[in-house]
Amino acid sequence: MSDTGLDEINKQIIDHLQRDGRMSYATLAKTIGLSEAAVRQRVQRLLDNGLMQIVAVTDPLTLGFARQAMVGLRVNGDLREIADKLAAIPEVDYVVICAGRYDLLVELVCTDDAHLLDLLNDKVRAIEGVCAVDTFMYLKLAKQTYAWGTR
């Protein structure tokens, strides 16, 4: 087993849970060929070591969040510090420090256009070091997946 704890069996566990996070330990055990207790221990170890999370993924539209946007930011100063400030905003669900045209990419989830405007104007642009903000409003989410597997 490697330092990450990802032997072939752990990779199989992750692969199956990425496709169905509600799969029972009994079903997973039968599929992989281990005992239920062994699967339970392995899953717990993967969770405890931060190699995997099991979460409920919701559709923001069905929960009243009708406006989503990706925001490209150009900033001056410490990227990590600004990324941390953005991550602290409740409506921000995704922050990436990147290279290229933008220093940071941030995904916002809002109830409507007025909420988005308030968020951009009063919170995002108010952060010291934010120089330019380009907003890409989502029209339709064509694909979103969490089943990219393991290597």
Side-chain angles (χ1 to χ4, degrees):
M1 191 177 320
S2 70
D3 290 341
T4 63
L6 289 180
D7 62 11
E8 288 307 311
I9 291 172
N10 284 348
K11 288 179 181 181
Q12 287 180 49
I13 290 170
I14 291 170
D15 183 56
H16 287 290
L17 290 174
Q18 281 181 326
R19 284 189 262 126
D20 180 5
R22 296 177 3 163
M23 182 180 281
S24 70
Y25 291 130
T27 303
L28 199 50
K30 285 180 195 169
T31 305
I32 293 174
L34 291 178
S35 71
E36 188 176 333
V39 168
R40 185 179 300 111
Q41 289 174 348
R42 282 177 173 266
V43 168
Q44 192 59 53
R45 204 171 311 125
L46 289 166
L47 293 168
D48 291 345
N49 291 333
L51 294 169
M52 178 177 74
Q53 295 177 356
I54 299 174
V55 299
V57 178
T58 60
D59 178 355
L61 286 174
T62 64
L63 298 175
F65 298 102
R67 175 58 65 210
Q68 290 180 270
M70 182 64 66
V71 180
L73 300 170
R74 288 184 291 281
V75 303
N76 285 326
D78 187 331
L79 293 176
R80 290 169 292 222
E81 196 175 297
I82 295 170
D84 289 343
K85 288 178 182 177
L86 289 161
I89 299 170
E91 296 91 345
V92 171
D93 72 343
Y94 182 82
V95 178
V96 178
I97 297 172
C98 53
R101 179 176 182 165
Y102 301 105
D103 299 307
L104 299 165
L105 291 176
V106 179
E107 186 177 62
L108 307 176
V109 180
C110 305
T111 54
D112 54 28
D113 289 341
H115 184 198
L116 177 60
L117 176 60
D118 290 343
L119 183 59
L120 288 170
N121 192 62
D122 302 339
K123 293 185 181 178
V124 174
R125 291 176 193 249
I127 295 173
E128 187 176 341
V130 173
C131 300
V133 177
D134 287 341
T135 304
F136 304 92
M137 294 185 356
Y138 295 2
L139 299 176
K140 180 181 184 332
L141 182 61
K143 179 179 181 180
Q144 183 173 12
T145 184
Y146 299 95
W148 47 80
T150 58
R151 304 232 184 270

